[in-house]
Amino acid sequence: MKKITVASVLMLSVLCGGEASASAFQIWEQDEAGLGNAHAGGAAEANNASTSWSNPAGMIRLDQPEFSMGAAFIYPEVEFKGTVKPVYGILGEKNVEGQGGKKILPVPNMHFVYPFKINDRKMAVGFSVVSVYDSFTNYGDRGDVLEFASDIASVKSINFGPTFALAVTEKLSVGFGVFGSYSYNEISQGGVLPAENYPGGTIGYPGAPWLASATVDPGTFPGGSVYIDNNFSGFGIGGQLGLLYQFTDKTRVGMTYFSPVKYHYNGTSRRTSTGAFENGFNVNGNIKAFGGIINLPITIPIGPLGPDKQIDTSFNWTLPEYVVLSAFHSYKQFDFMATTTWTHWSRIQSMNVKTLDGVGNNETTVSLPENFKDTFSVLLGMNYKLNEKFKVKFGTGYDMSPTNDGSRNLQLPDSNRIMFATGVEYAFHPDTIFNLGYMYVYAVPTKVNYVAPPLGTKVRGDVKASAHVLGAQMTLKF
């Protein structure tokens, strides 16, 4: 009998996400002073304490201690319109519409830099608290058949750690940092199906590809519900290494390497079920093989899942390294900046979780292919200085998605995206600077066509997504 496992749902759920300002569930909102420029120039501008994170080598440019604190508020929107065919495609196809996201995600950040000299050699230390991964999707209240494809998927992270910078020459500086990263994820998936007559027809049964040519007879589904709620958290350690080269006071380039982070996750998975899912039911049909030479009757058992159950689970997972290359140039009242970023998403080709299965007390390992590809982003920005106190900011960018048509799902309905940003900077005092920024993220419309656990739900349709990002930051110099 095919077993419907908690692990299979858990693994798919880790890669959840709504639309933010970077690919997959990665975000760039570690510095709201750069939001108005779509975060272009982040590794080269180095004009406030947030360079402690974006490029530690840039701390050399700061002449006095600085503290900055800010927050972004991300409002993702995901709209799905298509069909859902639950229970291995046995039940009839249902037209559905759903909206994910629709929730404000606060993303705070904090940075401190203390520059000093030893034997006239410029040095600096810093500390940053940021979020690198943050996303949320929720397709509606419980009871909707769309929940068999995705219900709630939420990822939160916080990174924190010290940094150090050293001036190698008057033009070249280096910096590095070590950070801890805590990640918390909440995943729910399942749904409610009323009793109904199903039409029969050809089905696919995950784990048994030889059943691709099986047909089922018309019958009656007794009705029932099943939900799997997952909560798990993990901790990892990583680091960053930065270089900054200043050709002149007005022109500089910077590069930062962020290491991969290996997390060890622990958590729980709880399954609740009623009706046909708890007690099980059988589907009758036929299987054909060898061009119809063999035609055998078959009974396919669905479940039983048994009474409600909660299990502990754990697994390791590594998030990818990425490299940021930026340039910055000032000309009269203008600042121009650019960034390109490479992320090693192809590191994620599959996931493996060792846990209990969803029926008995047996330990099992489930593998889920993801087949991510590496991505690049290109960001461009410009400032216009109206006077000594006031700047207007603009930015745009293009970011690739690591997903492909074979692995894209409603929990990660990711696609290539375009960003448009604007913002202002106002200096109340040379030592007190305020930034306000806004960015609109447009995701290229895409499609999903896949089979989702639990119960082999066939999902097919169109996805439209976007996000609004509003952020503010205050910088104080001492």
Side-chain angles (χ1 to χ4, degrees), residues 339-361:
T339 288
T340 183
T341 300
W342 170 81
T343 304
H344 191 195
W345 283 113
S346 63
R347 174 182 289 276
I348 302 176
Q349 291 299 302
S350 64
M351 298 178 62
N352 297 284
V353 176
K354 192 173 185 179
T355 183
L356 295 176
D357 66 40
V359 179
N361 293 315

Side-chain angles (χ1 to χ4, degrees), residues 259-326:
S259 73
V261 180
K262 183 177 181 179
Y263 292 89
H264 178 72
Y265 284 100
N266 292 291
T268 60
S269 294
R270 177 174 174 79
R271 188 202 67 237
T272 57
S273 54
T274 64
F277 297 109
E278 178 181 3
N279 303 316
F281 68 100
N282 294 328
V283 176
N284 297 316
N286 292 273
I287 180 171
K288 295 181 179 180
F290 302 108
I293 297 175
I294 298 178
N295 188 359
L296 300 174
I298 187 173
T299 297
I300 304 174
I302 307 296
L305 295 177
D308 297 349
K309 185 176 183 178
Q310 179 171 304
I311 62 173
D312 296 327
T313 185
S314 64
F315 60 99
N316 295 320
W317 194 43
T318 300
L319 288 179
E321 65 271 40
Y322 58 101
V323 179
V324 182
L325 177 64
S326 299

Side-chain angles (χ1 to χ4, degrees), residues 353-423:
V353 176
K354 192 173 185 179
T355 183
L356 295 176
D357 66 40
V359 179
N361 293 315
N362 303 312
E363 196 173 76
T364 185
T365 299
V366 182
S367 181
L368 182 73
E370 289 301 335
N371 302 316
F372 274 15
K373 61 186 179 183
D374 294 344
T375 63
F376 287 91
S377 65
V378 178
L379 312 172
L380 301 173
M382 182 187 76
N383 298 333
Y384 179 72
K385 305 171 190 174
L386 294 173
N387 52 51
E388 291 299 319
K389 291 188 173 184
F390 196 74
K391 288 182 183 179
V392 181
K393 301 186 174 187
F394 305 95
T396 187
Y398 177 81
D399 203 1
M400 294 172 57
S401 169
T403 63
N404 56 67
D405 292 340
S407 61
R408 187 179 297 111
N409 55 66
L410 285 184
Q411 289 162 318
L412 185 61
D414 198 42
S415 64
N416 298 340
R417 61 195 72 182
I418 303 170
M419 293 86 75
F420 304 95
T422 189

